[in-house]
Amino acid sequence: MRILTIDTSAVASAAVLDFDPQDLARTARVVANFATKDTRSHAEVLAPGVKSLFTDPVTEGPALDAIIVGTGPGPFTGLRSGITVARTLAFTWGVKLYGMMSLDALAQQVFDTPRYVDGRAVAPLATADFVVATDARRQEVYWAKYSASAALIDGPHVGPAADILPVQVFGAGAGIYAQQLAAGGCVVEASFSQEQPTALELGRAAMRKIAAAGSLEGAGFLDSTPLYMRESDAKVPGPRKRAL
């Protein structure tokens, strides 16, 4: 099975992954991957970035089994860019389109990352329920709570970091608001305090869901509706006031 994943909830990113759902551990491989560091240039870089993942998009695109797009939460403009590209490609290539919460990508990365002591992996990074948080701007974070096995428990939410109850917190949102989180009894993992959701980690999380379910259709994916969590800053102008 081959999937294209796209996520623009933070950085602009895309990845192509190939795997056999019946033997994920031995067959999963990253065919191609790209991600920017800039969180504000999605529209300019995403389409060329996706194109760079294929030798011949005209023939390789329609051969995909699915496109999976991160649905956020994230800022309006960036999130819209990724979902628009994913919808356009799915329509053009005739490929199935699914959505997946972008915070799941960070949760999967936490689950996959061991804690090292003296160069040896000794334990999982998260040993109990944990939170992943990304920057929502306006002095707020997008966050969701997961079990130690990266299963969603609660969320997503948007609000001040101080709203998060004492727990391990991972992600760039934790790094930005480390002092507020620590004051509330949370433990910020320094090694994970700059991480953002990416299409590569979204793809790895998607592969696990597909393998566990045995099929794309049974994996419990979302549709491609964006999780904005806030209304757009752009407002439709009201009627003009009459001159006296």
Side-chain angles (χ1 to χ4, degrees), residues 106-114 124-126 130 147-150 192 208:
L106 273 181
Q108 185 64 55
Q109 192 174 354
V110 171
F111 178 77
D112 287 340
T113 304
L125 264 185
F130 65 92
S147 70
S149 60
F192 230 85
R208 295 239 175 134

Side-chain angles (χ1 to χ4, degrees), residues 64-229:
L64 292 168
D65 291 284
I67 297 172
I68 299 172
V69 64
T71 57
F76 182 86
T77 303
L79 200 56
R80 181 179 58 184
S81 298
I83 292 173
T84 298
V85 168
R87 288 173 174 173
T88 301
L89 292 176
F91 176 79
T92 302
W93 289 337
V95 173
K96 294 178 181 178
L97 175 64
Y98 300 93
M100 188 170 174
M101 187 169 72
S102 301
L103 296 178
D104 288 351
L106 273 181
Q108 185 64 55
Q109 192 174 354
V110 171
F111 178 77
D112 287 340
T113 304
R115 186 179 302 281
Y116 289 92
V117 175
D118 297 329
R120 294 186 301 111
V122 296
L125 264 185
T127 56
D129 296 349
F130 65 92
V131 162
V132 295
T134 58
D135 183 20
R137 302 170 189 170
R138 305 182 190 176
Q139 299 185 354
E140 293 183 330
V141 293
Y142 299 116
W143 65 275
K145 187 176 183 180
Y146 294 84
S147 70
S149 60
L152 180 66
I153 296 174
D154 183 33
H157 303 282
V158 61
D163 288 351
I164 301 173
L165 299 177
V167 70
Q168 282 180 291
V169 188
F170 300 84
I176 294 170
Y177 299 105
Q179 290 184 338
Q180 293 93 318
L181 289 166
C186 293
V187 176
V188 175
E189 292 292 335
S191 64
F192 230 85
S193 61
Q194 303 299 320
E195 297 297 326
Q196 304 271 23
T198 65
L200 177 58
E201 298 304 331
L202 192 78
R204 286 173 171 155
M207 287 194 298
R208 295 239 175 134
K209 288 173 73 74
I210 295 167
S215 69
L216 273 163
E217 293 74 16
F221 290 118
L222 307 172
D223 62 25
S224 62
T225 303
L227 298 170
Y228 288 132
M229 307 296 291

Side-chain angles (χ1 to χ4, degrees), residues 18 41 46 70 75 136 224 242:
D18 194 273
S41 63
L46 183 59
S224 62
R242 291 184 179 181

